Structure formats: structure tokens, C-alpha cells
């Protein structure tokens, strides 16, 4: 159990382990340490407060199951509530699907599109990619290069500014594919045009998934981004990129809460293979590390 908590909370957990009784003071102390560590890791303050209120309440009210000591019981509650904070487990089905990528510029959306294409291809599915990022010059070349490396067809039109037209034609062109991934434009800010376009692309493509890409280093702004995208297209999964950096990804948890979804994948580097399925234990340990 201790291993799951990361170094930042190890001392607090040890303190708890040394106590002969687990009373309100002991729980309060643990909760304070937990709050400090989570806020340092960029987790939204409101989320932290909700989490710790539940932990306190459950720790003081629930009886430990038969055969479980009070300390272990409290630690289990802390762990369960942290897992709850990570959102639902998102199943990635290996079947035909259309994935619409959402996120602001620089979040890692195009790179992640290439990584996802690789992921599904390795699972034996026929994959195709459409580049509907008409905002960032170079996006199409970047995505084409990524796709060429792994032999995945990539549809795009140099110089075309109408994303709807590109996706309409791209879907025809790639009609035989099982997994279709559509990379969309991202801007520096949440402009109305961006939101209107992604709503139209969602309707046009009948996307089965709408995944939001969030940079691990994004702090409190993650919440607003997630809220706007979720309102627009009903986000059903979050991908946290750049987890190979120093950021702990705590900000992205507010995106998970806003969208009432879960973390689908984690980006762990710049190459096409640097994509991992989400592992709650690893994430918690890092968040509290
Ligand atoms: P977009 O504007 O959202 O399409 O962003 P890009 O896909 O172009 O990514 C922006 C930058 O982040 C690029 O330099 C990528 O190589 C880098 N990047 C994306 N994902 C990751 C990741 O998981 N780890 C690291 N270290 N860099 C990443």
C-alpha cells in the first residue's frame, strides 16, 4: 500500500502507521499533508477540498472491513478516493471507430494523432488519418511525415482553409479504414470560431469518440478549456501529453472532472511510439511524489 503513494506522502503515511489510535487528529494531519502535496502538483483547489472532505468523512464514519486494521482502512480510503479523482476507466475498443481530436495549439494534438494511428495499427486495425488543422501552417506536413513512417494513409489538402470540405472529401477517400482519426485545428485561445468549427466537424463526421488533448504542464486553465470543449462536443476522454517532462499532470485532472470522463492515454515523449495507456497507480505515485 505504501508504494502506491509516492514519496511526497510517504512521511505522512509513516506518521499514520506509527500512531496507536487513528482518531480525528490523525486523519486531519494526513489530510493536511495530502492537500499540500496535491496543490503543489497543480490539482485544482476545489477538487482537492472535495476529495479531502470525503476522505475525512469516510475515515471517521466507516467501520473497517473484518480483518482490516484502522490504519490500513484509512489508507485504502485515501487510495480509493484518489483513483476516483482520476475519473472513470476508459475502455479503448479495438473496433471500427471515428476519433475527433480536440485541444489548443501546442497541446500535442498532431503528435498524438500520429501516436494513436500507430497504436491502432499495431493492434491490427486499418487506420486512416485526416488533417483538418487549417490554422497551423506545417500541421499537414508534420502529420504526413509521421504517418508515412508507419505507412498509415493521411488525407489533407495544402492551402485549403475549409476544414469541413477537407473532412468531407477525406472521409470519402478513406472510406475503407476501420479507425479514422481526425486532427483538428487548435488555436492559442478558446476562440468562438474554433468551437463552432469543431461542433460542425463533430456533426459531419459522426465521431464515436471526442478526445481532448491536454499538456501535463497546463495548470488551472485546463478546467476552462475542458468546459468549453465539453459543452461543444461532449468530450469522452482526456489524453495528457508530455508526461515525460517534470510536470505532474495534476491540472489535467480538472479536465477529467469537467468532462466527467477519464484519462485514455498518456503521452510520454516525442516519438510515435511514446504513448501509454493510463495507469492510475503510476499516476498517483507521481502526483504525490
Ligand atoms: P499541436 O499544436 O497540438 O498539434 O501540437 P504538436 O503535436 O505539434 O506538439 C507540440 C510540441 O509538443 C511538439 O514539439 C511535440 O513534439 C511536443 N510533444 C507532443 N507530445 C509530447 C510528449 O508526450 N512528450 C514530449 N516531450 N513532447 C511532446
Amino acid at each position: 500500500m505504501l508504494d502506491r503513494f509516492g514519496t511526497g506522502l510517504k512521511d505522512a503515511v509513516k506518521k499514520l502507521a506509527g500512531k496507536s489510535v487513528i482518531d480525528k487528529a490523525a486523519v486531519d494531519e494526513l489530510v493536511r499533508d495530502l492537500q499540500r502535496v496535491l496543490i503543489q502538483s497543480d490539482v485544482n483547489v476545489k477538487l482537492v477540498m472535495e476529495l479531502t472532505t470525503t476522505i475525512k468523512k469516510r475515515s471517521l464514519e466507516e467501520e473497517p472491513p473484518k480483518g482490516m486494521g484502522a490504519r490500513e482502512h484509512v489508507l485504502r480510503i485515501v487510495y480509493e478516493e484518489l483513483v476516483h479523482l482520476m475519473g472513470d476507466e476508459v475502455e479503448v475498443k479495438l473496433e471500427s471507430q471515428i476519433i475527433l481530436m480536440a485541444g489548443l495549439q501546442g497541446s500535442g494534438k498532431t503528435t498524438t494523432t500520429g501516436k494513436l494511428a500507430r497504436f491502432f495499427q499495431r493492434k491490427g486495425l486499418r487506420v486512416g488519418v485526416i488533417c483538418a488543422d487549417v490554422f497551423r501552417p506545417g500541421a499537414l506536413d508534420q502529420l504526413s511525415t509521421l504517418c508515412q513512417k508507419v505507412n498509415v494513409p493521411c488525407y489533407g489538402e495544402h492551402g485549403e482553409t475549409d476544414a469541413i470540405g477537407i473532412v468531407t472529401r477525406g472521409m470519402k477517400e478513406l472510406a475503407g479504414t476501420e479507425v479514422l482519426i481526425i486532427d483538428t485545428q487548435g488555436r492559442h485561445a478558446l476562440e468562438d470560431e474554433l468551437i463552432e468549427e469543431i461542433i460542425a466537424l463533430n456533426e459531419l463526421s459522426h465521431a464515436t469518440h471526442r478526445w481532448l488533448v491536454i499538456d501535463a504542464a497546463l495548470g488551472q486553465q485546463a478546467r476552462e478549456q475542458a468546459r468549453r470543449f465539453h459543452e461543444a462536443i461532449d468530450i469522452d476522454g482526456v489524453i495528457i501529453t508530455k508526461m515525460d517532462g517534470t510536470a505532474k499532470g495534476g491540472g489535467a485532472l480538472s479536465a477529467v472532472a469537467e468532462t466527467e470522463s477519464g484519462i485514455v492515454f498518456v503521452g510520454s515523449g516525442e516519438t510515435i511510439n511514446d504513448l501509454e495507456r493510463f495507469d492510475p497507480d503510476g499516476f498517483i505515485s507521481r502526483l504525490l511524489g
Side-chain angles (χ1 to χ4, degrees):
M1 184 55 91
L2 258 176
D3 297 342
R4 286 171 162 175
F5 286 108
T7 48
L9 206 65
K10 280 245 161 73
D11 285 347
V13 171
K14 271 193 199 135
K15 263 189 259 166
L16 192 76
K19 293 223 159 72
S20 52
V21 279
I22 307 298
D23 53 11
K24 185 168 177 307
V27 173
D28 278 347
E29 198 177 347
L30 177 71
V31 157
R32 266 200 306 279
D33 284 332
L34 185 61
Q35 286 169 342
R36 179 179 45 78
V37 177
L38 289 175
I39 290 169
Q40 270 168 9
S41 293
D42 262 346
V43 183
N44 177 275
V45 175
K46 186 168 151 263
L47 281 184
V48 173
M49 291 309 156
E50 283 167 9
L51 170 92
T52 50
T53 303
T54 311
I55 290 174
K56 248 194 236 178
K57 191 166 171 339
R58 286 189 59 193
S59 301
L60 298 173
E61 286 177 6
E62 284 177 23
E63 287 291 323
K66 264 210 171 69
M68 187 182 282
R71 274 184 293 270
E72 203 187 329
H73 178 54
V74 170
L75 293 183
R76 200 166 84 154
I77 291 171
V78 172
Y79 178 74
E80 279 174 7
E81 291 302 326
L82 282 168
V83 170
H84 184 67
L85 189 68
M86 314 283 125
D88 298 331
E89 194 182 325
V90 185
E91 200 190 341
V92 176
K93 293 201 176 125
L94 300 178
E95 59 184 29
S96 292
Q97 54 196 297
I98 298 173
I99 302 166
L100 188 65
M101 306 293 288
L104 289 195
Q105 188 167 330
S107 58
K109 202 160 23 67
T110 300
T111 311
T112 307
T113 302
K115 290 177 180 181
L116 285 173
R118 178 67 169 153
F119 172 86
F120 286 107
Q121 182 202 45
R122 287 176 91 159
K123 300 287 179 190
L125 289 148
R126 267 195 320 279
V127 186
V129 167
I130 299 176
C131 176
D133 183 350
V134 292
F135 185 73
R136 184 162 63 87
L140 176 55
D141 287 339
Q142 185 189 347
L143 194 53
S144 301
T145 308
L146 278 170
C147 288
Q148 257 165 24
K149 272 190 202 155
V150 291
N151 249 336
V152 164
C154 172
Y155 184 88
E157 298 174 18
H158 280 289
E160 175 60 71
T161 53
D162 171 26
I164 305 291
I166 295 175
V167 173
T168 308
R169 292 181 287 276
M171 287 182 78
K172 271 198 201 120
E173 185 85 12
L174 297 172
T177 57
E178 291 163 310
V179 179
L180 183 67
I181 310 169
I182 305 173
D183 188 16
T184 61
Q185 66 161 301
R187 298 213 175 171
H188 303 294
L190 288 157
E191 291 159 21
D192 290 344
E193 248 176 83
L194 170 75
I195 299 293
E196 282 157 21
E197 184 184 277
I198 204 156
I199 291 173
L201 290 178
N202 185 38
E203 282 169 7
L204 171 73
S205 65
H206 298 290
T208 35
H209 294 293
R210 294 146 309 273
W211 288 343
L212 177 65
V213 180
I214 298 268
D215 185 328
L218 194 66
Q220 306 298 330
Q221 302 111 293
R223 181 157 172 254
E224 179 63 6
Q225 286 186 22
R227 190 183 66 75
R228 289 288 299 278
F229 278 114
H230 188 52
E231 256 174 30
I233 57 165
D234 193 15
I235 296 295
D236 66 345
V238 173
I239 297 176
I240 311 180
T241 59
K242 310 185 196 180
M243 283 294 279
D244 50 312
T246 52
K248 298 194 166 156
L253 292 180
S254 44
V256 172
E258 278 298 315
T259 58
E260 296 176 336
S261 65
I263 302 161
V264 201
F265 285 101
V266 165
S268 55
E270 293 192 73
T271 82
I272 200 153
N273 291 314
D274 295 325
L275 184 76
E276 291 163 22
R277 286 287 281 133
F278 176 63
D279 156 38
D281 277 12
F283 195 85
I284 289 173
S285 156
R286 181 191 170 101
L287 205 60
L288 303 179

